[in-house]
Amino acid sequence: MAETLHEDSSDPWKYFILMSKSLLLFIDGGITKSFGVLIPDVVVRYDSDYKTAAFVLSLPSTIMNFAVPITMLLVKLTTPRTMGMVGGLLCALPIICAPWAPSIHILGIMLSVTGFGMALTLYPLLLYLNVYFSKSFIFSNALTFFGWTCGAFLIPIIVERSLEAYGYTGSFLILGGIASHSMVCGAVVRPPRDRRRHDCEKSTDDGEKDPLLLDTPTSEPVDKHGDQHHHQPGNVESETSKVLSAQLSGQNSQSYNEMKSSDGKSSWCSCASFTNKLKSVVFLQEPLYTLVAPATILQYFAMAGWMLFLVPHAVGAGIDRSNAVFLSTIAGISGIFGRILYLVLLHFDYDNTVIFCIACMISACTFFIDFVSSSYIFLAAMAGVQGVTLFILDSLPHAMMKLSIRNEENFPGALAATPFLGGAGIATGDYVSGYIYDVTSSFTTLFTLYGMLHVIITINLVIFKLISQQRRTSE
């Protein structure tokens, strides 16, 4: 397990970072679950099939996760705060304009822009969450997922009622208004003040500063009379962004300097340098992280498909859509209890791997017995149990990432790689789920697949646990 290099920040601003990531996940969860309400209308409106509609409606979450590595490169062009606010704007505008998309392909392009905008806001929040909560990252990150749960059971009700009252166009406009609040999430990004003060004191000893903490004007040097030296803003931000992007890439100062050769040519041009860069990829540097990567992909696969097809599953069983949408509410409320249970177990130092394995097996059982009944009471009960277990498992990717990274210098790369794996799982999960339903016209078959995936996740986690224990014993 990766060793913590710092204690949690004492800056009260850390709670705004925590709430901002919760709000962004509230928006993401609300959009994802609301599309489960809108997917029948999308299929009819564009005369499409479920696999295509499911893939298109999964694009916001998919692109959000896929694009996180790109945001590491874009940081050098601007500050994290500006990037987060621009991302919030890009998140909302395509959803507002979505009802006027002339084809489902144009709709897919619009929703891809929404996902890219959310990625621009997500990565700075993830990065600074680890800065503010260095010691308790797993606990604090799991706490932010309450926002996703609340969005998953509140926003679909708003969208369903808007669909009845204002139609297809009005429901998208309201959803876009909710998404516009992501600009606020980007606006609160800034480094902790206590780390800046500590860093200034440290710089007098060793002449080094943490590049993460150079993002705001308050980090300017102070003379002996207490007056700030005035630098040109453009030069300060440019230099800050360059150094920040180097750190976010997982590069230390030595590797950053080696990028330029003595004859003025970039070292990227040499085969040896390319090989070294390839070896620095987090999947090669951290074998335990690579080992647990399949569990991350499959968890996103099952979660995305379940979120999108929970309401259509009930509608297909003969339940009115106005009542079927409340299954999302039941699952969301149950998910809150699941997240509380997970945090309580963390507080009492229960093993994360054991918690996830038990949740996987319970969830698998509920999916395997889906064929038993199609009554509303049975489906509501299953949605409740699935909400508890799946929202516990929602913390699996980042928790296992933190547990499997042994070198803290590889953590920024893992922060980018984990959402990328999630994007692969979401895109595959929604498309394959839609394809299976188009072929079989059976939601029972679909839910049985989700049960099998949770069994595979359990096996993956057990193997990870055994190998990690063996390594600790050998050390």
Side-chain angles (χ1 to χ4, degrees), residues 229-250:
H229 296 297
H230 298 284
H231 300 278
Q232 294 181 358
N235 295 336
V236 174
E237 291 184 3
S238 176
E239 186 63 27
T240 298
S241 299
K242 288 179 181 178
V243 182
L244 176 60
S245 62
Q247 187 190 39
L248 299 186
S249 312

Side-chain angles (χ1 to χ4, degrees), residues 181-257:
H181 289 77
S182 57
M183 286 186 289
V184 180
C185 301
V188 303
V189 173
R190 72 160 175 80
R193 296 184 184 276
D194 61 326
R195 296 287 169 80
R196 285 204 301 271
R197 290 195 297 269
H198 171 74
D199 191 66
C200 289
E201 295 172 359
K202 179 181 176 182
S203 64
T204 61
D205 298 329
D206 55 15
E208 296 180 354
K209 288 189 177 183
D210 185 353
L212 266 177
L213 309 180
L214 299 175
D215 188 39
T216 61
T218 55
S219 62
E220 295 175 351
V222 180
D223 62 19
K224 62 182 179 180
H225 300 292
D227 297 325
Q228 289 183 343
H229 296 297
H230 298 284
H231 300 278
Q232 294 181 358
N235 295 336
V236 174
E237 291 184 3
S238 176
E239 186 63 27
T240 298
S241 299
K242 288 179 181 178
V243 182
L244 176 60
S245 62
Q247 187 190 39
L248 299 186
S249 312
Q251 300 170 338
N252 54 33
S253 58
Q254 182 179 359
S255 63
Y256 182 71
N257 292 330

Side-chain angles (χ1 to χ4, degrees), residues 112-132:
S112 297
V113 176
T114 291
F116 182 72
M118 286 195 290
L120 293 178
T121 308
L122 174 64
Y123 188 72
L125 289 172
L126 268 175
L127 182 67
Y128 279 99
L129 187 72
N130 188 56
V131 172
Y132 279 92

Side-chain angles (χ1 to χ4, degrees), residues 62-124:
T62 301
I63 299 301
M64 179 185 73
N65 289 283
F66 270 142
V68 168
I70 300 176
T71 63
M72 296 174 61
L73 304 177
L74 295 179
V75 164
K76 67 178 66 175
L77 302 178
T78 182
T79 62
R81 177 183 296 169
T82 302
M83 188 173 71
M85 295 181 67
V86 171
L89 185 63
L90 293 178
C91 171
L93 286 180
I95 295 181
I96 294 174
C97 300
W100 293 279
S103 68
I104 195 169
H105 303 289
I106 301 299
L107 177 65
I109 294 174
M110 290 180 172
L111 296 182
S112 297
V113 176
T114 291
F116 182 72
M118 286 195 290
L120 293 178
T121 308
L122 174 64
Y123 188 72

Side-chain angles (χ1 to χ4, degrees), residues 6-22:
H6 302 288
E7 295 294 323
D8 290 352
S9 170
S10 59
D11 189 347
W13 196 259
K14 63 184 179 181
Y15 299 111
F16 288 96
I17 299 293
L18 197 71
M19 288 187 292
S20 295
K21 184 169 183 287
S22 298

Side-chain angles (χ1 to χ4, degrees), residues 68-373:
V68 168
I70 300 176
T71 63
M72 296 174 61
L73 304 177
L74 295 179
V75 164
K76 67 178 66 175
L77 302 178
T78 182
T79 62
R81 177 183 296 169
T82 302
M83 188 173 71
M85 295 181 67
V86 171
L89 185 63
L90 293 178
C91 171
L93 286 180
I95 295 181
I96 294 174
C97 300
W100 293 279
S103 68
I104 195 169
H105 303 289
I106 301 299
L107 177 65
I109 294 174
M110 290 180 172
L111 296 182
S112 297
V113 176
T114 291
F116 182 72
M118 286 195 290
L120 293 178
T121 308
L122 174 64
Y123 188 72
L125 289 172
L126 268 175
L127 182 67
Y128 279 99
L129 187 72
N130 188 56
V131 172
Y132 279 92
F133 296 93
S134 298
K135 185 177 181 180
S136 59
F137 175 80
I138 294 180
F139 184 88
S140 58
N141 188 65
L143 197 61
T144 64
F145 279 102
F146 277 99
W148 202 95
T149 310
C150 293
F153 80 81
L154 285 178
I155 297 181
I157 297 177
I158 297 174
V159 171
E160 197 274 332
R161 294 293 182 260
S162 301
L163 192 62
E164 293 181 355
Y166 308 112
Y168 182 84
T169 300
S171 60
F172 264 100
L173 291 176
I174 291 175
L175 189 59
I178 296 173
S180 66
H181 289 77
S182 57
M183 286 186 289
V184 180
C185 301
V188 303
V189 173
R190 72 160 175 80
R193 296 184 184 276
D194 61 326
R195 296 287 169 80
R196 285 204 301 271
R197 290 195 297 269
H198 171 74
D199 191 66
C200 289
E201 295 172 359
K202 179 181 176 182
S203 64
T204 61
D205 298 329
D206 55 15
E208 296 180 354
K209 288 189 177 183
D210 185 353
L212 266 177
L213 309 180
L214 299 175
D215 188 39
T216 61
T218 55
S219 62
E220 295 175 351
V222 180
D223 62 19
K224 62 182 179 180
H225 300 292
D227 297 325
Q228 289 183 343
H229 296 297
H230 298 284
H231 300 278
Q232 294 181 358
N235 295 336
V236 174
E237 291 184 3
S238 176
E239 186 63 27
T240 298
S241 299
K242 288 179 181 178
V243 182
L244 176 60
S245 62
Q247 187 190 39
L248 299 186
S249 312
Q251 300 170 338
N252 54 33
S253 58
Q254 182 179 359
S255 63
Y256 182 71
N257 292 330
E258 289 175 353
M259 287 176 61
K260 293 185 178 180
S261 59
S262 58
D263 60 353
K265 294 183 179 180
S266 174
S267 63
W268 287 95
C269 300
S270 65
C271 296
S273 177
F274 177 77
T275 303
N276 291 334
K277 295 297 177 183
L278 186 62
K279 290 180 180 178
S280 67
V281 175
V282 66
F283 294 106
L284 299 178
Q285 291 288 325
E286 301 288 347
L288 286 178
Y289 178 75
T290 305
L291 174 65
V292 82
T296 296
I297 297 175
L298 295 180
Q299 190 276 327
Y300 275 106
F301 183 112
M303 185 71 171
W306 174 76
M307 291 288 291
L308 191 60
F309 286 98
L310 178 62
V311 173
H313 173 34
V315 174
I319 298 170
D320 185 76
R321 186 168 64 180
S322 60
N323 291 324
V325 72
F326 284 105
L327 292 180
S328 296
T329 305
I330 294 171
I333 295 174
S334 301
I336 292 178
F337 287 106
R339 295 200 190 282
I340 293 174
L341 175 61
Y342 176 64
L343 292 175
V344 170
L345 293 175
L346 284 183
H347 177 72
F348 288 102
D349 294 326
Y350 281 86
D351 189 275
N352 276 274
T353 309
V354 175
I355 296 172
F356 294 142
C357 286
I358 294 175
C360 277
M361 294 311 299
I362 295 174
S363 180
C365 291
T366 62
F367 285 121
F368 285 144
I369 64 173
D370 180 73
F371 67 92
V372 171
S373 175

